[in-house]
Amino acid sequence: MTAETNTGPMIGQRHLQAFLLFLSIVVNYMAKFNAGVAVVAMTNAESTNPNFPEYDWNEMERSYILSSFFWGYILTQFLGGWLCRRYGARITMFVSTIGSALLALLPPWCVSWGGWQAYCAIRMAMGLFQGFLFPCIHAHLANWCPVNERNRLGALANTGIDCGTLVAMFASGLLAASSIGWPGIFYVSSGVGIFWCIIWLIFGANTPRESKLISEAELNYIETSINSSRKAEEAEQKANGPIPVPWKAIWTSVPFWALMITRCCQSWGYSTLQTEMPAYMNGVLLMDMKSNAIYSALPYFTSWMMAFVYLIIADILLTRGVMSITGIRKTVNSIAFFVPAIALIGVSFLDSDQKTLAVVLMCANVGINAGSTIGSTINTIDLSPNHAGILMGIINTAANVIPILTPLLVGLIVKDDHDRTQWQIVFIIAAVIFFVGNIIYLIFGKMVNQPWDAPDFLDSQRSLNLQEQGVGAKALEARISEELQEAKRKESEAGLESTEEHL
């Protein structure tokens, strides 16, 4: 008679926590990416609602606004992880989201007297708060997800990235064109953030044991699964000791550099469209804000759907043995980089008479690029399961520097947002970067554990160095001995010659 396995309720508190994480990403991304639409509405009232103030900001000033969020964002990534460990995900995520939401209220009140500089300062402060978010999300998933459900619940939470971008583009355009005008973008973004914070304080809990709503069966299921996994890890760590980080080996690893360059190239192409698409649609395709909202959101809806398509296809190919993990990663990443590169070049040659084709190509660009998650984002686990968190932290920090640079480059190139030839330069640069990034990945990328992943790698290196030093010392000793013998021989010969001369 076999023992019955406790799998907990089919839908329980763990699913509610994953859904709350999904919503947290959505509301924070609304505040993060509404600026792409907002700056168009604030500088071109005729395309939205002319009853609200219009500001005469040039392209460079608008670029500073779009870039400024990331000035703060890259500074608090590691601090977010420390705060989460110190105070728990519940309070840290609350502070992150409420801070961002309250700051989102300020632009309509501050821009009138502080200009674009005030808007930049507000967005930089928002970035500082939102930098706490993702370290908390990963920690919260680790505390709540049974081992065999981590991929599923983690995927559910992270689909908030595409959904949040989609909602930011769509809702911001509709609000700007409505009776509440562009200030409504900030009021609604703030309102949904504050509402999420209230729900989070009611239902969020750092661990299953802290939850007042979880059933005994689900609590036992989650804790049994997580504890068994942690016991195995602790036993291994007790036997081998904590695994030291081989920093020199990581920083001199060609596959690691190939992955980091590839992720930065992906960030360049993606962030170019993410921040500049509303301005391009308004300036070159001559779309009003309501149409702009719908068509700016469509590519991210496509991306959201394609993420599931890629996941299903990759799972089938791998489980049926049709392709190896190396084949899947490099094939999917090639599709996710090369097709968008071609689509970007195509978009750059279209004008307002070819709006439909332009939207189709932008949907292809963003939607097909969703494959980069499977293609390269999770390659850190292939290279080094033991140090995947360290690798992800380094690579994410580097990749988040790129969205600071792309709007600034656009500001330098595009002086007239109605000039298609200037936008061609922007899109062709992004296409070339996509192409080069994937070529580097194809040539130098690896999907196997690197030697420096081994827990005893540093000990082995020390032993090898000592052996080499030992061999070197013996060789040096032998050489000195030979030199001494040679010196004695010469002295002996000199003594004999001297004796013969006296005789």
Side-chain angles (χ1 to χ4, degrees):
M1 186 174 178
T2 57
E4 186 178 347
T5 303
N6 175 24
T7 58
M10 186 175 293
I11 301 294
Q13 283 299 305
R14 64 192 186 279
H15 300 97
L16 175 61
Q17 297 300 313
F19 183 62
L20 287 172
L21 296 181
F22 164 84
L23 291 178
S24 74
I25 297 173
V26 171
V27 300
N28 278 284
Y29 266 54
M30 282 185 68
K32 181 178 181 178
F33 289 118
N34 62 24
V37 175
V39 293
V40 174
M42 294 167 77
T43 55
N44 187 0
E46 290 182 4
S47 67
T48 54
N49 187 331
N51 298 323
F52 292 89
E54 180 177 307
Y55 299 96
D56 185 23
W57 296 333
N58 61 38
E59 190 62 42
M60 198 69 226
E61 290 165 346
R62 291 195 288 180
S63 296
Y64 282 127
I65 292 169
L66 297 175
S67 169
S68 57
F69 177 92
F70 296 93
W71 304 348
Y73 189 70
I74 63 170
L75 298 177
T76 52
Q77 297 284 308
F78 292 104
L79 177 60
W82 181 82
L83 288 172
C84 188
R85 289 171 66 92
R86 180 74 174 79
Y87 299 105
R90 185 170 179 265
I91 189 65
T92 308
M93 284 183 68
F94 172 79
V95 170
S96 173
T97 306
I98 197 69
S100 176
L102 292 176
L103 286 165
L105 273 176
L106 299 181
W109 308 97
C110 297
V111 171
S112 58
W113 56 264
W116 64 270
Q117 295 92 336
Y119 196 3
C120 281
I122 291 166
R123 281 185 55 77
M124 182 178 175
M126 288 174 64
L128 288 169
F129 276 102
Q130 287 202 27
F132 303 156
L133 185 67
F134 277 97
C136 291
I137 286 174
H138 289 285
H140 200 62
L141 286 169
N143 285 333
W144 271 91
C145 295
V147 175
N148 61 336
E149 294 185 22
R150 280 181 181 170
N151 283 342
R152 193 181 315 131
L153 295 177
L156 168 63
N158 280 286
T159 54
I161 294 172
D162 288 317
C163 186
T165 309
L166 165 75
V167 173
M169 296 288 187
F170 183 70
S172 297
L174 294 182
L175 289 167
S178 71
S179 58
I180 58 176
W182 61 258
I185 297 173
F186 303 103
Y187 300 148
V188 171
S189 296
S190 177
V192 295
I194 293 169
F195 179 73
W196 180 86
C197 288
I198 295 169
I199 299 299
W200 178 245
L201 287 179
I202 296 171
F203 295 104
N206 286 322
T207 63
R209 190 157 290 279
E210 289 183 21
S211 174
K212 297 176 182 178
L213 303 172
I214 195 169
S215 67
E216 192 68 28
E218 185 178 16
L219 175 63
N220 290 336
Y221 168 53
I222 296 172
E223 288 191 337
T224 301
S225 175
I226 292 176
N227 289 340
S228 62
S229 174
R230 283 179 179 168
K231 281 178 183 176
E233 291 172 4
E234 286 170 4
E236 184 178 349
Q237 206 172 73
K238 194 172 181 180
N240 301 318
I243 302 173
V245 180
W247 291 109
K248 182 180 177 182
I250 290 173
W251 285 109
T252 55
S253 169
V254 173
F256 166 74
W257 276 101
L259 177 59
M260 185 158 66
I261 292 169
T262 302
R263 295 310 306 159
C264 288
C265 291
Q266 195 276 337
S267 180
W268 186 288
Y270 191 79
S271 64
T272 297
L273 274 183
Q274 199 168 46
T275 55
E276 303 297 339
M277 193 187 301
Y280 170 76
M281 286 186 165
N282 180 256
V284 176
L285 301 183
L286 303 178
M287 289 184 179
D288 61 68
M289 191 51 66
K290 190 171 286 188
S291 299
N292 195 331
I294 296 169
Y295 293 128
S296 291
L298 269 179
Y300 297 98
F301 178 76
T302 309
S303 178
W304 192 20
M305 294 295 102
M306 285 298 294
F308 295 104
V309 173
Y310 277 118
L311 185 63
I312 293 167
I313 292 174
D315 190 52
I316 291 171
L317 291 175
L318 190 61
T319 53
R320 295 186 180 180
V322 177
M323 294 179 74
S324 66
I325 192 67
T326 298
I328 290 171
R329 293 238 193 279
K330 292 194 173 183
T331 301
V332 171
N333 208 69
S334 296
I335 294 169
F337 276 53
F338 287 155
V339 174
I342 295 167
L344 273 172
I345 294 171
V347 166
S348 70
F349 286 92
L350 302 179
D351 55 28
S352 58
D353 296 327
Q354 299 161 304
K355 293 177 184 176
T356 303
L357 180 57
V359 172
V360 169
L361 287 176
M362 281 188 280
C363 287
N365 184 313
V366 179
I368 292 174
N369 186 245
S372 65
T373 301
I374 290 172
S376 54
T377 301
I378 54 179
N379 182 224
T380 52
I381 300 170
D382 304 326
L383 296 179
S384 177
N386 286 321
H387 307 297
I390 296 289
L391 302 187
M392 184 62 78
I394 297 169
I395 290 168
N396 269 358
T397 301
N400 278 308
V401 172
I402 302 300
I404 296 175
L405 305 177
T406 49
L408 300 180
L409 180 71
V410 172
L412 290 172
I413 295 171
V414 179
K415 302 302 181 184
D416 176 8
D417 58 5
H418 297 286
D419 188 337
R420 190 186 68 183
T421 57
Q422 293 177 1
W423 284 103
Q424 281 177 349
I425 298 171
V426 172
F427 289 145
I428 289 172
I429 289 172
V432 170
I433 290 173
F434 261 143
F435 185 83
V436 171
N438 192 59
I439 292 295
I440 291 171
Y441 191 60
L442 289 176
I443 296 172
F444 299 108
K446 301 292 183 185
M447 285 81 220
V448 294
N449 285 9
Q450 297 303 290
W452 41 266
D453 177 62
D456 61 346
F457 173 76
L458 289 177
D459 291 334
S460 301
Q461 288 293 105
R462 289 191 194 99
S463 299
L464 185 62
N465 290 338
L466 287 172
Q467 288 177 6
E468 290 175 353
Q469 289 171 8
V471 171
K474 287 179 181 178
L476 181 61
E477 186 180 339
R479 183 178 171 185
I480 292 171
S481 177
E482 288 176 3
E483 289 175 353
L484 286 172
Q485 288 178 2
E486 181 68 17
K488 286 179 180 179
R489 185 181 62 79
K490 287 181 178 178
E491 285 178 7
S492 177
E493 289 177 354
L496 288 172
E497 288 176 2
S498 177
T499 303
E500 289 174 355
E501 286 176 1
H502 285 299
L503 291 173

